[in-house]
Amino acid sequence: MTKSSLWLTMLMALIWGTSFPVSKIAINVIGPYAFRMAGSLVSCGIIFLIFNKSIRESLKTLNFDEFLRIAIIAVPNVFLVPTLNSIALHFTSVTNATILVYTMPCFTSIILMGLARKLNLLSLFSLLLCFSGIFLILKEVHVGLGEIVILCSAIFWAIGAVVSQKIVTVTPFKAKLFWQILVSTILVSITYPFFQSGPLLQPLVTAFTNTECLLCVLYLGIVGNALVYFIWFYLIQNESAEFASYATLLSPVITVIIASTFLNEQPTSKQVIGFSLILMSALLVNVIKPYVTTKLEKKVR
């Protein structure tokens, strides 16, 4: 772990911590899908402008198989997770969405144990803590569509983290980020017509004509999408999927503080306890387990 990776993890945690409250402000005005569409367009445009040279050079070596691998990585990470997050925030509070989406490290642990076909006591204990926390939270609140969607998002986020590490691509990192965001933007555009009525969709132009929405879209498009995905994939590529998940330990705390301060969302005692259990489970998976594993490997050597 390098010092730069640690600082990038802290920055990613701060960005994620502010993303849900900022998203909620815009979603309350224009709906989740118009917001998601606008954010995708901004992200795609910004990445293209910044990494134009690398993108053009990648066209020389980009073939169908390589693009397919990039697209497979993009679907869970860049398309499904942000889209599900936006829809969930339309139906539930920032606090509930934040607490439940950060069960992602536990789902990552389940996937990794399944792939390795080997049980780990620390991972199993972390899962017990995590699911106990989920039970407390869901028992306290009305379980609606928002809570179900955000848990699905956490599962796809975990799948995306593992897929990103397992699938090998040769496209330069900066160009690969653009192609992933482009794939996501295309998929958002394709699915957009299916939400032509009801509260999920408002006119896309509102995202750019309403000042409050425009500021939120620019922040999420440039910082919350383009920059954070750059950091996310950089950490997975240069460290590991588990290391990239370190940000999940700090960002939900930032989000809940912002939500209680500015959005008047006060968590109940059971939510706080459930939240603490989920964070403890993430701590076990992301910090304690790697530390113990490293120590045991050194003893074996």
Side-chain angles (χ1 to χ4, degrees), residues 200-247:
L200 285 181
L201 185 71
Q202 298 294 329
L204 181 61
V205 68
T206 310
F208 300 100
T209 56
N210 181 292
T211 304
E212 187 177 47
C213 288
L214 178 60
L215 291 174
C216 292
V217 166
L218 290 176
Y219 177 79
L220 266 298
I222 298 171
V223 180
N225 285 338
L227 178 59
V228 85
Y229 282 127
F230 179 86
I231 298 172
W232 173 252
F233 288 119
Y234 173 86
L235 291 175
I236 288 176
Q237 179 175 295
N238 292 278
E239 299 291 343
S240 69
E242 285 188 330
F243 182 88
S245 300
Y246 283 0

Side-chain angles (χ1 to χ4, degrees), residues 109 113 118-127 289 292-293:
S109 184
M113 280 194 296
K118 184 179 179 181
L119 296 177
N120 182 282
L121 289 178
L122 278 176
S123 294
L124 290 173
F125 183 60
S126 73
L127 291 176
K289 180 187 170 185
V292 171
T293 303

Side-chain angles (χ1 to χ4, degrees), residues 58-244:
S58 73
L59 288 171
K60 300 174 183 176
T61 56
L62 188 68
N63 55 41
F64 177 78
D65 288 340
E66 175 71 1
F67 186 78
L68 183 60
R69 286 192 289 269
I70 292 172
I72 291 171
I73 296 171
V75 169
N77 283 292
V78 193
F79 170 60
L80 285 175
V81 171
T83 302
L84 292 174
N85 287 349
S86 296
I87 293 172
L89 283 169
H90 180 74
F91 293 102
T92 189
S93 66
V94 170
T95 301
N96 285 347
T98 300
I99 294 171
L100 293 175
V101 81
Y102 285 103
T103 56
M104 171 266 194
C106 290
F107 291 120
T108 304
S109 184
I110 292 173
I111 294 169
L112 292 174
M113 280 194 296
L115 291 174
R117 296 182 180 179
K118 184 179 179 181
L119 296 177
N120 182 282
L121 289 178
L122 278 176
S123 294
L124 290 173
F125 183 60
S126 73
L127 291 176
L128 177 63
L129 290 175
C130 181
F131 288 119
S132 298
I134 293 173
F135 175 77
L136 278 175
I137 293 164
L138 295 183
K139 188 178 179 181
E140 177 72 7
V141 302
H142 169 70
V143 181
L145 181 60
E147 284 72 27
I148 295 171
V149 171
I150 203 67
L151 282 174
C152 290
S153 177
I155 293 170
F156 280 116
W157 189 9
I159 293 170
V162 175
V163 166
S164 298
Q165 195 173 20
K166 298 294 182 182
I167 295 180
V168 178
T169 58
V170 296
T171 302
F173 174 70
K174 295 174 183 178
K176 183 169 67 174
L177 178 62
F178 168 76
W179 295 120
Q180 287 172 332
I181 292 180
L182 179 63
V183 167
S184 173
T185 303
I186 292 170
L187 291 175
V188 171
S189 302
I190 292 171
T191 53
Y192 189 79
F194 292 96
F195 297 93
Q196 284 297 326
S197 62
L200 285 181
L201 185 71
Q202 298 294 329
L204 181 61
V205 68
T206 310
F208 300 100
T209 56
N210 181 292
T211 304
E212 187 177 47
C213 288
L214 178 60
L215 291 174
C216 292
V217 166
L218 290 176
Y219 177 79
L220 266 298
I222 298 171
V223 180
N225 285 338
L227 178 59
V228 85
Y229 282 127
F230 179 86
I231 298 172
W232 173 252
F233 288 119
Y234 173 86
L235 291 175
I236 288 176
Q237 179 175 295
N238 292 278
E239 299 291 343
S240 69
E242 285 188 330
F243 182 88

